[in-house]
mmCIF file of all heavy atoms in Angstrom:
data_model
loop_
_atom_site.group_PDB
_atom_site.id
_atom_site.type_symbol
_atom_site.label_atom_id
_atom_site.label_comp_id
_atom_site.label_asym_id
_atom_site.label_seq_id
_atom_site.Cartn_x
_atom_site.Cartn_y
_atom_site.Cartn_z
ATOM 1 N N ILE A 1387 27.196 -5.123 -11.136
ATOM 2 C CA ILE A 1387 26.959 -6.441 -10.541
ATOM 3 C C ILE A 1387 26.435 -7.383 -11.623
ATOM 4 O O ILE A 1387 25.479 -7.064 -12.331
ATOM 5 C CB ILE A 1387 25.961 -6.349 -9.375
ATOM 6 C CG1 ILE A 1387 26.501 -5.428 -8.269
ATOM 7 C CG2 ILE A 1387 25.648 -7.727 -8.821
ATOM 8 C CD1 ILE A 1387 27.795 -5.904 -7.655
ATOM 9 N N ALA A 1388 27.057 -8.531 -11.740
ATOM 10 C CA ALA A 1388 26.687 -9.531 -12.748
ATOM 11 C C ALA A 1388 26.674 -10.903 -12.077
ATOM 12 O O ALA A 1388 27.241 -11.087 -10.989
ATOM 13 C CB ALA A 1388 27.673 -9.499 -13.913
ATOM 14 N N PRO A 1389 26.039 -11.905 -12.718
ATOM 15 C CA PRO A 1389 25.937 -13.227 -12.093
ATOM 16 C C PRO A 1389 27.271 -13.859 -11.707
ATOM 17 O O PRO A 1389 27.326 -14.659 -10.768
ATOM 18 C CB PRO A 1389 25.210 -14.056 -13.171
ATOM 19 C CG PRO A 1389 24.367 -13.056 -13.887
ATOM 20 C CD PRO A 1389 25.211 -11.818 -13.942
ATOM 21 N N ASP A 1390 28.351 -13.526 -12.420
ATOM 22 C CA ASP A 1390 29.640 -14.141 -12.122
ATOM 23 C C ASP A 1390 30.419 -13.412 -11.023
ATOM 24 O O ASP A 1390 31.554 -13.765 -10.705
ATOM 25 C CB ASP A 1390 30.501 -14.218 -13.382
ATOM 26 C CG ASP A 1390 30.825 -12.860 -13.980
ATOM 27 O OD1 ASP A 1390 30.287 -11.848 -13.492
ATOM 28 O OD2 ASP A 1390 31.621 -12.806 -14.950
ATOM 29 N N LYS A 1391 29.815 -12.382 -10.423
ATOM 30 C CA LYS A 1391 30.519 -11.589 -9.407
ATOM 31 C C LYS A 1391 30.382 -12.161 -8.003
ATOM 32 O O LYS A 1391 31.109 -11.762 -7.092
ATOM 33 C CB LYS A 1391 29.981 -10.151 -9.402
ATOM 34 C CG LYS A 1391 30.143 -9.398 -10.719
ATOM 35 C CD LYS A 1391 31.597 -9.112 -11.034
ATOM 36 C CE LYS A 1391 31.709 -8.230 -12.279
ATOM 37 N NZ LYS A 1391 33.118 -7.932 -12.619
ATOM 38 N N GLY A 1392 29.434 -13.059 -7.798
ATOM 39 C CA GLY A 1392 29.253 -13.626 -6.469
ATOM 40 C C GLY A 1392 27.793 -13.647 -6.062
ATOM 41 O O GLY A 1392 26.907 -13.227 -6.807
ATOM 42 N N GLU A 1393 27.537 -14.141 -4.851
ATOM 43 C CA GLU A 1393 26.167 -14.300 -4.371
ATOM 44 C C GLU A 1393 25.497 -12.961 -4.081
ATOM 45 O O GLU A 1393 26.122 -12.011 -3.614
ATOM 46 C CB GLU A 1393 26.150 -15.147 -3.101
ATOM 47 C CG GLU A 1393 26.481 -16.616 -3.323
ATOM 48 C CD GLU A 1393 26.381 -17.418 -2.047
ATOM 49 O OE1 GLU A 1393 26.671 -16.876 -0.957
ATOM 50 O OE2 GLU A 1393 26.002 -18.607 -2.122
ATOM 51 N N VAL A 1394 24.184 -12.931 -4.335
ATOM 52 C CA VAL A 1394 23.346 -11.785 -3.991
ATOM 53 C C VAL A 1394 22.369 -12.231 -2.914
ATOM 54 O O VAL A 1394 21.690 -13.249 -3.070
ATOM 55 C CB VAL A 1394 22.576 -11.258 -5.219
ATOM 56 C CG1 VAL A 1394 21.702 -10.071 -4.826
ATOM 57 C CG2 VAL A 1394 23.535 -10.864 -6.338
ATOM 58 N N ILE A 1395 22.291 -11.469 -1.837
ATOM 59 C CA ILE A 1395 21.348 -11.794 -0.776
ATOM 60 C C ILE A 1395 20.121 -10.902 -0.879
ATOM 61 O O ILE A 1395 20.217 -9.716 -1.212
ATOM 62 C CB ILE A 1395 21.989 -11.665 0.620
ATOM 63 C CG1 ILE A 1395 20.988 -12.120 1.696
ATOM 64 C CG2 ILE A 1395 22.484 -10.247 0.895
ATOM 65 C CD1 ILE A 1395 21.601 -12.315 3.074
ATOM 66 N N VAL A 1396 18.966 -11.481 -0.613
ATOM 67 C CA VAL A 1396 17.703 -10.743 -0.557
ATOM 68 C C VAL A 1396 17.170 -10.877 0.852
ATOM 69 O O VAL A 1396 16.920 -11.987 1.326
ATOM 70 C CB VAL A 1396 16.682 -11.289 -1.570
ATOM 71 C CG1 VAL A 1396 15.349 -10.549 -1.435
ATOM 72 C CG2 VAL A 1396 17.216 -11.178 -2.992
ATOM 73 N N THR A 1397 17.019 -9.751 1.551
ATOM 74 C CA THR A 1397 16.457 -9.782 2.902
ATOM 75 C C THR A 1397 14.955 -9.529 2.842
ATOM 76 O O THR A 1397 14.451 -8.942 1.889
ATOM 77 C CB THR A 1397 17.127 -8.733 3.800
ATOM 78 O OG1 THR A 1397 16.854 -7.425 3.283
ATOM 79 C CG2 THR A 1397 18.629 -8.953 3.867
ATOM 80 N N GLY A 1398 14.252 -9.989 3.876
ATOM 81 C CA GLY A 1398 12.789 -9.909 3.827
ATOM 82 C C GLY A 1398 12.257 -10.648 2.621
ATOM 83 O O GLY A 1398 11.292 -10.217 1.978
ATOM 84 N N ALA A 1399 12.874 -11.783 2.325
ATOM 85 C CA ALA A 1399 12.688 -12.423 1.021
ATOM 86 C C ALA A 1399 11.293 -12.975 0.785
ATOM 87 O O ALA A 1399 10.876 -13.111 -0.370
ATOM 88 C CB ALA A 1399 13.720 -13.551 0.847
ATOM 89 N N SER A 1400 10.550 -13.296 1.822
ATOM 90 C CA SER A 1400 9.230 -13.887 1.595
ATOM 91 C C SER A 1400 8.123 -12.844 1.491
ATOM 92 O O SER A 1400 6.972 -13.187 1.253
ATOM 93 C CB SER A 1400 8.892 -14.894 2.698
ATOM 94 O OG SER A 1400 9.053 -14.307 3.966
ATOM 95 N N GLY A 1401 8.457 -11.558 1.642
ATOM 96 C CA GLY A 1401 7.489 -10.495 1.421
ATOM 97 C C GLY A 1401 7.327 -10.199 -0.057
ATOM 98 O O GLY A 1401 7.929 -10.857 -0.916
ATOM 99 N N GLY A 1402 6.521 -9.186 -0.382
ATOM 100 C CA GLY A 1402 6.249 -8.887 -1.782
ATOM 101 C C GLY A 1402 7.479 -8.475 -2.565
ATOM 102 O O GLY A 1402 7.796 -9.051 -3.621
#
Side-chain angles (χ1 to χ4, degrees):
I1387 300 299
D1390 62 354
K1391 300 292 186 180
E1393 290 183 327
V1394 179
I1395 184 168
V1396 177
T1397 63
S1400 52

